[in-house]
Amino acid sequence: MSNPEQAGLARVDAAIVAIWAGLSLLARRLIGELPIAHTPQQAVLALLETAPSRMLWLPLVFYAGILLLAVPLFHRTYRQNSPQWSRLGLACGWLGFLLFAVGLSLNVVQATAAPLYVVGSTLSGGADLAGRLEAVWVADQVVSAAALVLLAGWMGAVSRAGQGPRQPALPRWFVLGGLVAALVTAIAGVAGVLSRGNLLTLDAGDGLILVHLWTGLLGSLLWQQGRDGRRGS
């Protein structure tokens, strides 16, 4: 495949990323937020009152699916400009998305176990079920915080790769903004888990909004750069 064809495909990928980032944010807002719950017991009561559609895979498809395309696209774009930072971003992005999927799966497990917990609490095995539910809750907290920190690392590493030792590929304002957004995302993720509970934080936290805004903006910049480069050739 020739270089112009590769540049054209990269530009199409970037346009898809930018459009999908906006659509995923819109779709996630339409689904609505999950409840705030600080303890496993509060989570059980909140989940019993939550619409089942909010606990399905729609958030993963509409809200996190963009990372599957964005992570390798950004790595392919900047791996020559700054290999170390680009590889770090690739690792953080893939692992962050994996933990994101695990966290949403744990949310589904908690939603499925909530009615069983209410019924089992009156039976002899209620204590064992409560212990398992608490273990899932703690695991969900750890996974939620780690996922957001890793996605923040992805944002920061890719932004930094755009200002690598070779010719800068991104505007300085975007690089600085990406680094600040990465820091805010990590802080918001951990603070959200501690203050608002992992149900709301992972699925609809403010940090993930910043991730999507950054992803969409970077996709737009890549598309514009590809178009301008083709015109100048």
Side-chain angles (χ1 to χ4, degrees):
M1 184 178 295
S2 64
N3 289 334
E5 290 176 335
Q6 291 178 347
L9 287 177
R11 191 173 64 256
V12 171
D13 287 346
I16 293 174
V17 165
I19 294 172
W20 187 255
L23 291 179
S24 62
L25 277 175
L26 176 61
R28 185 60 197 90
R29 295 305 96 191
L30 294 177
I31 294 175
E33 292 187 348
L34 290 174
I36 297 176
H38 300 93
T39 65
Q41 292 73 25
Q42 290 179 356
V44 168
L45 297 177
L47 289 172
L48 290 175
E49 300 175 354
T50 301
S53 60
R54 296 186 185 180
M55 299 305 300
L56 299 179
W57 286 99
L58 285 177
L60 178 61
V61 173
F62 288 112
Y63 201 52
I66 182 65
L67 302 183
L68 287 174
L69 178 61
V71 170
L73 168 64
F74 296 162
H75 173 67
R76 185 171 68 244
T77 302
Y78 298 116
R79 62 185 176 185
Q80 299 299 329
N81 190 59
S82 182
Q84 295 82 2
W85 285 105
S86 184
R87 284 195 294 267
L88 176 62
L90 180 69
C92 288
W94 279 124
L95 186 55
F97 174 77
L98 175 63
L99 291 183
F100 197 108
V102 172
L104 290 178
S105 299
L106 291 175
N107 286 349
V108 175
V109 170
Q110 293 176 77
T112 304
L116 300 177
Y117 172 79
V118 173
V119 174
S121 61
T122 61
L123 303 177
S124 57
D128 293 339
L129 186 58
R132 294 176 184 177
L133 184 62
E134 184 173 356
V136 172
W137 172 263
V138 173
D140 200 356
Q141 285 186 310
V142 174
V143 169
S144 299
L148 289 173
V149 170
L150 284 169
L151 292 179
W154 174 56
M155 295 172 60
V158 174
S159 297
R160 181 63 181 81
Q163 284 284 321
R166 301 181 182 181
Q167 183 178 1
L170 290 174
R172 185 173 179 82
W173 64 265
F174 182 84
V175 174
L176 294 177
L179 294 175
V180 172
L183 180 62
V184 172
T185 298
I187 294 175
V190 176
V193 169
L194 296 176
S195 64
R196 298 188 296 173
N198 52 295
L199 290 178
L200 176 61
T201 301
L202 181 62
D203 192 40
D206 295 337
L208 286 173
I209 295 177
L210 289 176
V211 171
H212 268 66
L213 291 176
W214 172 86
T215 303
L217 183 55
L218 181 52
S220 299
L221 286 174
L222 292 180
W223 182 86
Q224 182 67 35
Q225 290 172 352
R227 188 183 66 173
D228 293 344
R230 187 171 183 178
R231 284 179 176 177
S233 62

